[in-house]
Amino acid sequence: MLATAALRLLGRRAISTAVCVRGGHVAKVDHYALPVYFDKRESPLPDIRYVQDLSSEQKSLKEKEKGSWATLSDEEKIALYRISFKQSFAEMNEGSAQWKSIAAGMFLFFGLTGLVVLWQRKYVYGPVPYTFDQEYKEKELQRMLDMRINPVQGISSNWDYENKQWKK
Amino acid sequence: MSLPKPVMRGLLGKRLRFHIPLAFAFALVAGGLIKYGVTEPRKRAYAEFYKNYDGVKEFNHMREAGVFQSVRPSGE
């Protein structure tokens, strides 16, 4: 009496796992602990059949399956296959058009990010250093040529030192 | 619906026999391209550059341009 009163306080769910009034009991198995059906190319045989509750004609078909398979017609073989499996390998492996949506989303976000970056460039960042001025860059290049930077295949190799101009 | 039985064995071996020689060929071609497209022209460019290279003349030009700190141009 006292036990059942205590159980009512705990709630309905606890009853099955709590102490039983009399005799032994089987612990209730939550549905996520049972084997599930899945279509996967890597493991071809799932733990359970696809159709668990067979209709009467499916049951009779299963009985017929116990005999010689030569007596089964093609439709019956396909029906047996569809009882055990949801999708064939061809069906589960076929591609989809999802990549188009994904690419579209990617480009959309690239574009939005580009707009954000442009706005940032205009309204957030300060001016660039003086080393980017045209005049400064010209003096920099002249100094590089004077120092003979990369004279074999690089920048100084393209400068004609006799005539003070770029090689043709 | 009597389809032919699909090939069940030797799949990895078949793939390897096809792809490994192909990989070898690609590697050799890539190596050859780099050798004759990049390294040989580079060796020739350096040989050309140093054939008539006068280090002292170059040094004097650089000195006159004023890039050194240890020797100033001859005018100063």
Side-chain angles (χ1 to χ4, degrees):
Chain A
M1 194 58 217
L2 215 62
T4 50
L7 288 173
R8 224 174 293 125
L9 285 171
L10 288 171
R12 218 182 328 129
R13 213 154 182 270
I15 290 178
S16 53
T17 48
V19 174
C20 220
V21 178
R22 95 172 50 238
H25 76 288
V26 180
K28 178 172 172 298
V29 182
D30 295 307
H31 80 277
Y32 52 76
L34 295 166
V36 286
Y37 176 82
F38 51 83
D39 280 317
K40 244 197 274 178
R41 185 174 52 187
E42 293 79 30
S43 49
L45 298 175
D47 299 331
I48 53 170
R49 228 178 274 144
Y50 175 51
V51 178
Q52 295 292 5
D53 313 311
L54 301 171
S55 71
S56 55
E57 55 183 59
Q58 282 175 326
K59 283 202 188 104
S60 63
L61 195 55
K62 278 284 174 189
E63 287 300 318
K64 192 174 176 195
E65 194 193 12
K66 292 180 185 168
S68 165
W69 287 346
T71 59
L72 292 171
S73 72
D74 284 350
E75 291 84 27
E76 286 171 337
K77 287 179 190 164
I78 292 178
L80 282 168
Y81 183 89
R82 289 293 173 185
I83 290 174
S84 300
F85 302 106
K86 182 172 176 223
Q87 281 183 314
S88 68
F89 270 76
E91 286 163 11
M92 78 167 88
N93 288 339
E94 68 192 8
S96 71
Q98 199 192 26
W99 67 272
K100 295 178 199 167
S101 322
I102 293 174
M106 270 171 63
F107 292 137
L108 178 76
F109 279 107
F110 288 159
L112 288 174
T113 310
L115 288 174
V116 169
V117 167
L118 277 177
W119 178 88
Q120 237 182 0
R121 184 76 193 76
K122 188 158 195 285
Y123 290 106
V124 176
Y125 295 144
V128 289
Y130 67 93
T131 55
F132 283 87
D133 297 341
Q134 183 62 25
E135 195 194 312
Y136 191 94
K137 279 292 180 205
E138 285 171 5
K139 285 200 245 170
E140 207 176 68
L141 178 58
Q142 181 58 56
R143 190 173 151 81
M144 280 170 73
L145 294 171
D146 289 338
M147 288 198 285
R148 309 297 195 270
I149 298 289
N150 275 335
V152 184
Q153 284 182 309
I155 186 153
S156 301
S157 70
N158 296 325
W159 180 256
D160 185 357
Y161 284 95
E162 322 292 312
N163 304 325
K164 302 267 196 314
Q165 62 184 357
W166 293 110
K167 284 186 189 159
K168 297 284 178 286
Chain B
M1 58 158 207
S2 31
L3 295 165
K5 179 170 170 172
V7 181
M8 307 285 254
R9 293 160 189 264
L11 296 165
L12 179 64
K14 180 170 163 217
R15 183 192 162 84
L16 288 178
R17 256 169 301 169
F18 177 72
H19 280 88
I20 286 185
L22 202 69
F24 247 96
F26 262 117
L28 286 172
V29 167
L33 279 177
I34 292 188
K35 181 177 170 75
Y36 291 107
V38 176
T39 57
E40 287 303 314
R42 187 172 289 164
K43 285 201 271 192
R44 259 180 279 130
Y46 272 78
E48 276 301 318
F49 181 78
Y50 283 110
K51 197 161 32 173
N52 301 318
Y53 182 69
D54 184 6
V56 182
K57 181 171 84 113
E58 294 294 317
F59 165 73
N60 282 322
H61 280 312
M62 283 198 254
R63 176 191 179 175
E64 297 313 316
V67 293
F68 292 128
Q69 290 177 330
S70 47
V71 277
R72 299 312 305 164
S74 45
E76 294 165 26

